Amino acid sequence: MNIRSFLIIFAMSSLLHSEENFGIVVHGGAGVMSGLSEERQQQIHKKIQETVSEAYEILEKGGSSFDAVELAVSMLEDSPLFNAGRGSVYNSDEVQEMDASIMDGKNRLSGAVASVSTVKNPIKLARKVAEETKHVLLVGEGAERFARDIGVDIVDRNYFYHEERLKRLLNSKNKISKLNENADKIGTVGAVALDKNGNISAATSTGGMTNKMPGRVGDSPIIGSGTWAQNGVCGVSSTGHGEFFIKYQVAREVCVRIEYLNEELSDAAESIINELNDLEASGGLISIDHKGNISAPFNTKGMIRGSQTNKTDLISKIY
Amino acid sequence: MNIRSFLIIFAMSSLLHSEENFGIVVHGGAGVMSGLSEERQQQIHKKIQETVSEAYEILEKGGSSFDAVELAVSMLEDSPLFNAGRGSVYNSDEVQEMDASIMDGKNRLSGAVASVSTVKNPIKLARKVAEETKHVLLVGEGAERFARDIGVDIVDRNYFYHEERLKRLLNSKNKISKLNENADKIGTVGAVALDKNGNISAATSTGGMTNKMPGRVGDSPIIGSGTWAQNGVCGVSSTGHGEFFIKYQVAREVCVRIEYLNEELSDAAESIINELNDLEASGGLISIDHKGNISAPFNTKGMIRGSQTNKTDLISKIY
């Protein structure tokens, strides 16, 4: 390296460091969002704001984006309002099968679980896979066994029981209500964050689709499709019709367009969501780039989302 | 579209069509390949040549690349020589858990299965997931149930039994032989093909790693990591240390570099395998582009591979 290159790089890194941008964005799923009562909307706003606030506090104190996204997603998993963890929808066997993934953009450390039924917080188990095994993805009974061995919280099936969702499954099976089925297809939760050290992380968790086939796995636990984080580029968590999000590698596609085509975050994020719309694939995504910019496009009527950065105030939105 | 653009596109497509390039490339895994007797090497060459020949015949007669890669992978699954289907290695529970995926570059139709234990040809089940469900990925017991429902061949566990591999597992558990464990980590099979209609397909199948944790899923069934096919760009099937291949999205990365950076196939394929080598992630990949060029780089001592195109003769190689 000659002295000129060195000085330029030194100046650039000082500039980047002096900014110390940081922030968090979360989502609670995209969908038609029709028939949400005023009361339910208030509950959703409250939970999203509480989640963003607590995760932001981690970042503000100099904590890691990996910790922030894990906390945010686990808080949304604990709420019955979202289709993940406690609020997960029923598959065609009338059980919940949950998927989750997490990625640290510093070193591409990744962990994911799919088709687990007894784990209270699939995102915490995904992190354990990343940090305590040589693997990235564990599925089904093997993942459950790992959960028991490692001591994450295991819950009784009644923990997930939800009368309204069970009714929705039965309606869906009887084809009484196509609308509800479509409404329920979507509703994953996720979080992406940038910390003061420039580390980007992303995490996603879902109960999948109502009346899905047992063993069906969507994009949420797939690194590159549902979740992607890459320092210096961006972090993404997506939500929507998972099969399309796999075939279009949505989460990484946003980062690829920034990295290889020099697109701005919002252009990259919006264009892929528009392309999916042309294919009648519904959904959305949340994303943050290495400068702390946020983009959260969706092609559905609504997407539950919230964010806070060192440059922008706490917000939560549904439509 | 103005008349000039139309004429240019018309001229280009006639040119492409007049070429009618087609071909197939297969792999039987990358690894140290030490201690392969002369006899074993001859058996491998014979099976690879037979497989390439039969798949090539499909393409020569005007058949689809989707059919060609499914046939090629199922033939390698049926052979005990490779770590997929019949020859799959044992996990730490002394059972085989197999993964497979297939993708059609024409329309991104994709199917995959993970962690199946009783299916004779996981690649055929993956194709059924693509064509007969709305899903992309089915795992574990749900995938097995779908297999039974749809009538693909189910086999007794004895079908997979292999004394030498069981011994290897027990050695691996007793840590008698670290070398063998490493040798066994790799050995996936795969195929990519371009047919006369310009359709590119890719397929991958594996038994995973000896002594892996039950439920561990590597890159082979992950669309974008183990398998990718995109008409007009390229098709890829990868083999190696699966966790790294997920974190670097190897299969799609080759196509992304062609699509967005205008790299040549061989540059794109070789550079990602070199990058993995720098990370001490061993493996390789096979790839074909829309012009019928083939690239099959690996950073291990050997990679079992073979190919034939309308421009190049049938070959098979190990080192």
Side-chain angles (χ1 to χ4, degrees):
Chain A
M1 189 187 292
N2 63 34
I3 200 78
R4 191 164 162 245
S5 319
F6 176 79
L7 285 176
I8 290 169
I9 288 168
F10 180 77
M12 281 172 68
S13 60
S14 315
L15 195 67
L16 285 174
H17 189 70
S18 71
E19 281 183 18
E20 265 185 7
N21 288 322
F22 61 97
I24 174 114
V25 48
V26 307
H27 71 80
V32 288
M33 308 287 172
S34 61
L36 283 182
S37 68
E38 193 58 41
E39 190 195 348
R40 178 61 65 94
Q41 292 184 36
Q42 288 316 315
Q43 290 170 338
I44 289 171
H45 281 299
K46 186 164 171 264
K47 177 49 75 178
I48 290 289
Q49 288 167 16
E50 193 184 305
T51 302
V52 170
S53 251
E54 289 206 23
Y56 185 80
E57 207 182 307
I58 291 180
L59 299 170
E60 200 170 33
K61 287 180 176 166
S64 78
S65 57
F66 205 55
D67 285 340
V69 297
E70 185 198 25
L71 176 79
V73 168
S74 70
M75 285 178 71
L76 299 174
E77 283 177 340
D78 287 342
S79 164
L81 293 168
F82 309 101
N83 175 17
R86 176 155 220 171
S88 294
V89 298
Y90 288 87
N91 75 5
S92 61
D93 277 358
E94 296 176 25
V95 296
Q96 281 82 5
E97 284 185 327
M98 300 168 289
D99 309 327
S101 64
I102 188 166
M103 184 169 188
D104 185 339
K106 182 171 58 188
N107 48 13
R108 304 201 184 207
L109 185 76
S110 308
V113 293
S115 216
V116 295
S117 299
T118 66
V119 177
K120 181 167 177 273
N121 291 107
I123 198 65
K124 292 186 181 176
L125 186 59
R127 180 171 178 162
K128 293 285 187 191
V129 173
E131 293 183 329
E132 317 226 350
T133 78
K134 293 178 290 184
H135 301 320
V136 168
L137 174 57
L138 291 183
V139 304
E141 179 46 37
E144 302 273 354
R145 201 200 299 182
F146 173 64
R148 291 191 297 271
D149 288 349
I150 208 147
V152 304
D153 287 349
I154 300 293
V155 285
D156 189 88
R157 284 207 171 156
N158 291 330
Y159 173 78
F160 302 104
Y161 178 76
H162 198 289
E163 201 179 335
E164 186 192 319
R165 288 199 162 82
L166 185 58
K167 211 180 284 170
R168 204 169 284 186
L169 169 69
L170 301 175
N171 285 344
S172 170
K173 280 188 165 178
N174 297 327
K175 292 185 179 148
I176 289 171
S177 165
K178 267 286 167 198
L179 188 70
N180 273 346
E181 190 186 355
N182 283 330
D184 239 14
K185 267 187 186 165
I186 20 206
T188 302
V189 308
V192 296
L194 167 71
D195 66 31
K196 289 183 176 179
N197 293 311
N199 294 318
I200 298 174
S201 298
T204 310
S205 181
T206 192
M209 292 158 57
T210 288
N211 201 18
K212 68 182 176 186
M213 289 172 65
R216 177 264 186 183
V217 174
D219 63 317
S220 301
I222 307 295
I223 299 297
S225 300
T227 300
W228 187 257
Q230 191 175 350
N231 276 14
V233 185
C234 76
V236 180
S237 168
S238 61
T239 170
H241 195 151
E243 278 72 11
F244 284 92
F245 281 66
I246 292 176
K247 292 175 190 175
Y248 285 81
Q249 298 271 296
V250 172
R252 182 157 185 249
E253 179 67 19
V254 177
C255 296
V256 163
R257 291 183 189 193
I258 295 173
E259 190 181 9
Y260 291 157
L261 301 179
N262 291 313
E263 288 186 11
E264 291 294 321
L265 177 74
S266 57
D267 294 338
E270 283 165 22
S271 58
I272 180 72
I273 293 301
N274 288 337
E275 279 175 40
L276 289 170
N277 196 46
D278 294 342
L279 300 163
E280 295 183 15
S282 58
L285 63 84
I286 53 169
S287 56
I288 193 164
D289 70 11
H290 65 287
K291 293 174 279 191
N293 297 312
I294 281 174
S295 179
F298 53 94
N299 62 30
T300 44
K301 286 264 169 64
M303 180 170 78
I304 297 165
R305 61 209 185 276
S307 66
Q308 186 171 7
T309 75
N310 62 314
K311 299 183 287 190
T312 57
D313 291 338
L314 171 64
I315 54 161
S316 73
K317 291 185 178 175
I318 298 181
Y319 301 100
Chain B
M1 188 187 293
N2 63 33
I3 201 78
R4 187 160 165 249
S5 316
F6 176 79
L7 285 175
I8 289 169
I9 287 167
F10 181 77
M12 280 171 68
S13 60
S14 315
L15 194 70
L16 285 175
H17 190 69
S18 71
E19 282 183 15
E20 266 185 7
N21 288 322
F22 61 96
I24 173 116
V25 49
V26 307
H27 71 80
V32 288
M33 307 288 171
S34 60
L36 282 183
S37 67
E38 193 58 40
E39 190 196 347
R40 178 60 66 93
Q41 291 185 37
Q42 288 316 314
Q43 291 170 340
I44 289 170
H45 281 299
K46 187 163 169 266
K47 177 50 75 181
I48 290 290
Q49 288 168 16
E50 194 184 306
T51 302
V52 170
S53 251
E54 288 204 25
Y56 185 78
E57 208 182 305
I58 291 179
L59 300 170
E60 200 170 32
K61 287 180 176 163
S64 77
S65 57
F66 205 54
D67 286 340
V69 297
E70 184 199 24
L71 176 79
V73 168
S74 70
M75 285 179 70
L76 298 174
E77 284 177 339
D78 287 343
S79 164
L81 293 168
F82 309 101
N83 175 18
R86 176 154 220 173
S88 294
V89 297
Y90 289 87
N91 75 6
S92 61
D93 277 355
E94 295 176 25
V95 297
Q96 281 82 6
E97 281 185 328
M98 299 169 289
D99 310 327
S101 64
I102 189 166
M103 183 170 191
D104 186 340
K106 183 172 57 190
N107 48 12
R108 304 202 186 206
L109 184 77
S110 308
V113 294
S115 217
V116 295
S117 299
T118 66
V119 177
K120 180 166 176 273
N121 290 108
I123 198 66
K124 292 186 181 176
L125 185 61
R127 181 173 176 159
K128 293 286 187 193
V129 172
E131 293 183 331
E132 318 225 351
T133 78
K134 293 178 290 183
H135 301 319
V136 168
L137 175 57
L138 291 182
V139 305
E141 178 47 36
E144 303 273 353
R145 202 201 297 181
F146 173 65
R148 291 191 298 270
D149 288 350
I150 207 146
V152 304
D153 287 349
I154 300 292
V155 286
D156 188 88
R157 286 210 169 155
N158 290 331
Y159 172 80
F160 302 104
Y161 177 75
H162 199 288
E163 202 180 333
E164 188 192 317
R165 287 198 164 82
L166 186 57
K167 210 180 283 170
R168 205 170 283 185
L169 168 69
L170 301 176
N171 285 345
S172 170
K173 281 190 164 176
N174 296 328
K175 293 182 179 155
I176 288 173
S177 165
K178 268 285 169 200
L179 188 70
N180 274 345
E181 189 187 356
N182 283 328
D184 239 13
K185 266 188 187 166
I186 21 208
T188 303
V189 307
V192 297
L194 168 71
D195 66 31
K196 288 181 175 179
N197 293 313
N199 293 319
I200 298 174
S201 296
T204 310
S205 180
T206 192
M209 292 158 57
T210 289
N211 201 19
K212 68 182 176 185
M213 288 173 64
R216 177 264 185 183
V217 175
D219 63 318
S220 301
I222 307 297
I223 298 298
S225 300
T227 300
W228 187 257
Q230 193 175 349
N231 277 12
V233 186
C234 76
V236 179
S237 168
S238 62
T239 169
H241 195 152
E243 278 72 9
F244 283 93
F245 281 66
I246 293 176
K247 293 175 190 174
Y248 285 81
Q249 300 270 296
V250 172
R252 181 154 186 252
E253 177 67 19
V254 176
C255 296
V256 163
R257 291 184 188 194
I258 294 173
E259 190 181 9
Y260 291 158
L261 301 179
N262 290 315
E263 288 188 10
E264 291 294 322
L265 177 72
S266 57
D267 293 339
E270 283 165 23
S271 59
I272 180 72
I273 293 300
N274 287 338
E275 278 175 40
L276 289 170
N277 196 45
D278 294 343
L279 300 162
E280 295 182 16
S282 58
L285 63 84
I286 54 170
S287 57
I288 194 165
D289 70 10
H290 65 288
K291 293 174 278 190
N293 296 313
I294 281 174
S295 178
F298 53 94
N299 62 30
T300 45
K301 286 265 168 64
M303 179 171 78
I304 297 165
R305 62 207 185 276
S307 66
Q308 185 171 8
T309 75
N310 63 314
K311 299 183 288 188
T312 57
D313 292 336
L314 170 64
I315 54 160
S316 74
K317 290 185 178 177
I318 298 179
Y319 300 100

